[in-house]
């Protein structure tokens, strides 16, 4: 074991891992996290705490992770390089570890033009792969960028995202290989709707021997209805929502579409479990955390292993 | 070259209305190439201002002149005879031209008429493309002569982000994905192997993050 992360233990002992996303509130109310978190407690192996997702100002992921940890969760601290330079990122890693956080997900982040602070300066001092490399050097070499030694290194279990559906297609797995080389321990993918393309991505990853070195968790986002499906297909960067899925949702009455979305999510979980190299699922039930227990139960994943 | 755009007349007027004599100074280099501040644009702006003031029954003295280069003292000196007769200079140079005028004519207010945008190239008449941020450590040799610092909206160094679709940037569909361009170009050259290597964090100290930069070449000094 490289770290004291529960997620690492689950993955290393060969269990099919389950993680879920918990977005911090647009405000300073800790009770929101308690409310959202109660649906996830004991039902998932770790909870991803998003970092100002889609560049919208929210409670900091470090603060929200700490609050969730206090409520008994195992947080995965998401960190985007969009908003903070290497000084702030490394300093937050020290702080996070000191506060008992053992997992970090290294991201570049959506461009700030999508959020509610379009006039902001985008920092992008590091890219996500450079952040992975930085955390790995801090943990394994006990060094910050530039080589200065750290007295107590933050021993983080290191994650990153990968999008099998973005272009150029042939490049996605090469980028995954770079993340593995940089020192990533686990990957959570973009929401999967196009199973064929995901299967092809996994086949390439298995062929290149990447799944021996990194645990890949398949990203699942239940669709709430045909409106959301269309929005995801047309407006969200890097999404691949096939037309037949949109047709399937539009074929059911409006009040039944949410149930159909959940059904699709459960089917997707069952299908990705069959794909070689998939080590777990990552549920991104955007503002729908209360539906996670139902989805996991239907997918036969409601019992979490003792590790 | 430096690409710039003319400000709107009301914005310019807000800054110069307090003066009664205005020397409009163009620059016949970069900003002429991008049709923002050359001889023609200088004349047109002076005419537009006269018209705008006439509508308000105002009649300030407006003289226009154009320098070959507004960022070089030898050229700036050539308007020395016109300067004393005007209260203010309205510059159609880039930001460097504006500041050069201010350095040479220290007792004159200098007002910019242009918004200086970027270092770019003329793709065709009427289309200018940003492709250099002047970061001070050129990495183009590594990336097939397509700059990730400028052409990637997130300045990524290790490959495209998850938002690239059909060769387009997530920021706006009219922006080509810089990384798509890098990969295609290196593929054409048979040099994709350049991208397998991990690119460590960039040293931004050679960019503006290191403070204002200055080049001193002893061999070039008089």
């Amino acid at each position: 074991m490289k770290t004291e992360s529960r997620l690492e233990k689950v993955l290393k002992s060969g269990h099919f891992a389950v993680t879920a996303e918990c977005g911090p509130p647009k405000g300073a109310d800790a009770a929101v996290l308690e409310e959202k978190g109660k649906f996830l407690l004991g039902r998932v192996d770790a909870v991803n705490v998003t970092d100002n997702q889609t560049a919208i100002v929210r409670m900091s992921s470090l603060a929200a992770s700490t609050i969730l940890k206090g409520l008994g969760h195992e947080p995965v601290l998401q960190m985007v390089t969009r908003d903070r330079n290497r000084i702030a990122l490394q300093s937050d890693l020290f702080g996070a570890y000191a506060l008992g956080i053992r997992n970090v997900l290294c991201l570049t982040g959506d461009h700030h033009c999508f959020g509610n602070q379009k006039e902001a300066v985008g920092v992008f001092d590091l890219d996500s792969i450079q952040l992975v490399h930085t955390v790995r050097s801090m943990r394994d070499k006990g060094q910050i960028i530039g080589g200065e030694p750290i007295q107590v290194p933050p021993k983080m279990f290191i994650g990153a995202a990968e999008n099998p559906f973005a272009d150029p297609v042939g490049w996605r797995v090469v980028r995954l290989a770079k993340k593995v080389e940089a020192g990533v321990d686990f990957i959570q993918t973009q929401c999967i709707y196009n199973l064929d393309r995901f299967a092809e991505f996994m086949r390439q990853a298995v062929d290149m021997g990447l799944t021996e070195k990194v645990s890949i968790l398949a990203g699942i986002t239940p669709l709430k209805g045909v409106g959301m499906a269309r929005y995801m297909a047309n407006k969200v960067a890097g999404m691949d929502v096939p037309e037949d899925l949109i047709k399937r949702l539009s074929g059911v009455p409006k009040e039944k579409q949410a149930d159909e979305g959940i059904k699709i999510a459960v089917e997707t979980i069952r299908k990705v479990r069959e794909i070689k190299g998939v080590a777990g699922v990552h549920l991104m039930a955007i503002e729908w955390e209360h539906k996670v227990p139902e989805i996991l139960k239907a997918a036969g994943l409601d019992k979490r292993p003792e590790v | 070259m430096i690409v710039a755009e003319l400000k709107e007349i009301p914005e310019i007027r807000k800054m110069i209305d307090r003066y009664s004599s205005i020397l409009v100074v163009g620059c016949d280099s970069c900003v002429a190439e991008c049709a923002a501040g050359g001889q023609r644009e200088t004349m047109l702006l002076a005419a537009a201002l006269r018209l705008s003031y006439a509508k308000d029954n105002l009649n300030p003295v407006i003289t226009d002149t154009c320098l070959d280069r507004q960022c070089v003292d030898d050229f700036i000196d050539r308007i020395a005879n016109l300067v004393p007769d005007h209260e203010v200079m309205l510059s159609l140079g880039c930001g460097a031209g504006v500041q050069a005028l201010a350095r040479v004519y220290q007792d004159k207010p200098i007002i910019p008429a242009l918004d200086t945008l970027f270092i770019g190239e003329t793709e065709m008449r009427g289309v200018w493309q940003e492709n250099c941020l002047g970061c001070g450590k050129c990495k183009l040799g590594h990336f097939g002569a397509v700059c990730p610092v400028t052409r990637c909206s997130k300045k990524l160094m290790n490959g495209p982000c998850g938002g690239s679709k059909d060769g387009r940037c997530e920021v706006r569909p009219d922006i080509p994905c810089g990384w798509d361009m890098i990969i295609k170009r290196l593929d054409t050259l048979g040099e994709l192997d350049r991208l397998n290597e991990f690119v460590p964090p960039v040293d931004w100290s050679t960019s503006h993050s290191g403070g204002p930069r200055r080049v001193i070449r002893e061999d070039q000094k008089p």
Side-chain angles (χ1 to χ4, degrees):
Chain A
M1 291 291 163
K2 298 171 189 167
T3 70
E4 297 158 4
S5 152
R6 172 193 158 81
L7 183 59
E8 182 182 12
K9 284 195 198 105
V10 170
L11 289 165
K12 286 279 155 66
S13 45
H15 295 290
F16 192 80
V18 176
T19 56
E21 197 168 273
C22 187
K26 282 188 206 172
D29 187 2
V32 174
L33 291 164
E34 195 170 346
E35 180 61 26
K36 279 184 169 189
K38 74 180 182 204
F39 301 106
L40 306 173
L41 197 60
R43 293 190 170 98
V44 296
D45 298 306
V47 174
N48 272 53
V49 187
T50 47
D51 185 3
N52 298 303
Q53 71 264 38
T54 59
I56 285 170
V57 182
R58 290 174 180 271
M59 182 190 286
S60 86
S61 59
L62 178 50
S65 291
T66 308
I67 292 165
L68 284 164
K69 176 156 175 69
L71 295 167
H73 293 272
E74 155 119 340
V76 176
L77 170 74
Q78 294 198 184
M79 278 191 152
V80 298
T81 63
R82 176 193 61 224
D83 306 325
R84 280 164 295 163
N85 70 6
R86 65 190 80 182
I87 300 171
L89 290 166
Q90 293 178 98
S91 142
D92 280 353
L93 280 160
F94 287 162
Y97 187 76
L99 289 163
I101 293 158
R102 298 293 179 259
N103 308 291
V104 63
L105 191 81
C106 304
L107 306 166
T108 304
D110 292 313
H111 197 273
H112 51 276
C113 69
F114 295 114
N116 56 7
Q117 306 293 312
K118 297 184 200 310
E119 299 80 7
V121 61
V123 179
F124 303 113
D125 178 19
L126 303 182
D127 65 29
S128 58
I129 300 184
Q130 291 163 347
L131 181 58
V132 167
H133 188 266
T134 301
V135 185
R136 205 251 308 250
S137 301
M138 290 171 91
R139 181 187 71 195
D140 297 347
K141 290 191 191 163
Q143 289 178 352
I144 55 166
I145 295 173
E148 254 184 62
I150 304 166
Q151 279 175 340
V152 177
K155 300 264 183 199
M156 292 290 198
F157 193 49
I158 307 166
E162 193 46 71
N163 184 358
F165 313 106
D167 288 328
V169 185
W171 182 259
R172 301 321 306 183
V173 88
V174 181
R175 187 157 155 87
L176 175 66
K178 280 189 106 167
K179 286 188 176 172
V180 171
E181 192 61 30
V184 80
D185 299 309
F186 70 100
I187 292 285
Q188 291 167 323
T189 76
Q190 176 66 286
C191 320
I192 299 160
Y193 299 109
N194 185 338
L195 271 156
D196 294 339
R197 195 157 162 186
F198 176 67
E200 174 56 22
F201 170 80
M202 286 305 300
R203 192 190 59 72
Q204 290 175 14
V206 170
D207 284 354
M208 286 172 75
L210 299 175
T211 49
E212 315 269 309
K213 298 176 190 158
V214 66
S215 305
I216 299 180
L217 277 63
I220 308 286
T221 292
L223 294 163
K224 296 176 186 175
V226 72
M228 176 177 175
R230 285 215 180 94
Y231 179 80
M232 293 276 230
N234 302 324
K235 299 275 182 213
V236 182
M239 284 289 198
D240 183 346
V241 187
E243 198 46 46
D244 57 345
L245 213 59
I246 296 173
K247 265 194 203 137
R248 177 172 162 185
L249 278 167
S250 57
V252 284
K254 206 168 170 50
E255 65 280 5
K256 295 265 185 205
Q257 282 180 3
D259 290 341
E260 193 66 16
I262 287 177
K263 223 188 264 178
I264 293 168
V266 173
E267 282 169 27
T268 311
I269 294 174
R270 289 184 189 279
K271 283 179 184 153
V272 297
R273 280 193 83 168
E274 302 298 314
I275 297 172
K276 197 177 168 198
V278 175
V281 285
H282 174 51
L283 278 166
M284 293 166 277
I286 307 152
E287 297 304 316
W288 227 16
E289 284 85 353
H290 60 283
K291 294 283 188 186
V292 170
E294 181 186 334
I295 296 168
L296 290 176
K297 193 155 195 296
L301 285 170
D302 49 337
K303 298 268 186 308
R304 291 293 85 219
E306 296 283 337
V307 286
Chain B
M1 61 147 176
I2 312 279
V3 179
E5 262 179 353
L6 183 66
K7 286 177 184 285
E8 300 281 339
I9 299 285
E11 187 188 344
I12 295 173
R13 279 213 31 196
K14 245 187 198 167
M15 294 184 286
I16 59 171
D17 277 357
R18 66 171 71 186
Y19 307 108
S20 58
S21 55
I22 303 147
L23 180 60
V24 184
V25 189
C27 176
D28 222 16
S29 294
C30 309
V31 292
E33 169 61 29
C34 65
Q39 215 146 35
R40 186 170 169 272
E41 294 78 26
T42 308
M43 265 163 50
L44 287 173
L45 177 62
L49 283 171
R50 282 183 203 109
L51 210 66
S52 169
Y53 279 115
K55 271 189 188 158
D56 296 340
N57 293 319
L58 294 167
N59 188 26
V61 174
I62 298 176
T63 314
D64 63 88
T65 180
C66 192
L67 298 167
D68 286 342
R69 270 186 217 170
Q70 214 176 96
C71 56
V72 179
D73 287 11
D74 290 347
F75 293 100
I76 295 174
D77 289 343
R78 293 181 195 172
I79 54 167
N81 59 325
L82 287 169
V83 175
D85 300 334
H86 299 85
E87 278 181 75
V88 64
M89 277 190 265
L90 180 62
S91 161
L92 282 92
C94 71
V98 174
Q99 294 183 68
L101 286 183
R103 178 173 45 74
V104 173
Y105 301 107
Q106 297 209 355
D107 56 348
K108 282 287 163 198
I110 318 288
I111 306 293
L114 303 185
D115 289 322
T116 303
L117 301 173
F118 52 78
I119 305 175
E121 62 175 310
T122 308
E123 276 187 3
M124 57 183 283
R125 213 163 85 189
V127 180
W128 295 276
Q129 170 62 49
E130 173 169 30
N131 49 18
C132 177
L133 263 175
C135 69
K137 208 81 195 162
C138 193
K139 301 159 193 73
L140 285 167
H142 190 82
F143 297 110
V146 180
C147 175
V149 177
T150 321
R151 305 302 297 263
C152 170
S153 304
K154 298 177 180 175
K155 299 196 203 102
L156 300 188
M157 289 291 138
N158 285 289
C161 76
S164 173
K165 191 118 189 177
D166 303 324
R168 300 278 126 187
C169 176
E170 70 170 36
V171 168
R172 278 199 326 266
D174 62 314
I175 303 174
C177 167
W179 268 97
D180 191 70
M181 293 163 70
I182 292 170
I183 291 165
K184 281 190 180 136
R185 169 119 169 109
L186 286 173
D187 197 14
T188 306
L189 300 174
E191 292 187 4
L192 270 175
D193 60 297
R194 286 188 188 276
L195 300 182
N196 294 333
E197 204 182 312
F198 168 70
V199 180
V202 174
D203 174 3
W204 297 115
S205 69
T206 58
S207 77
H208 182 69
S209 290
R213 291 163 284 180
R214 189 173 171 88
V215 173
I216 298 167
R217 285 267 306 266
E218 291 302 336
D219 62 321
Q220 295 291 310
K221 280 185 174 175

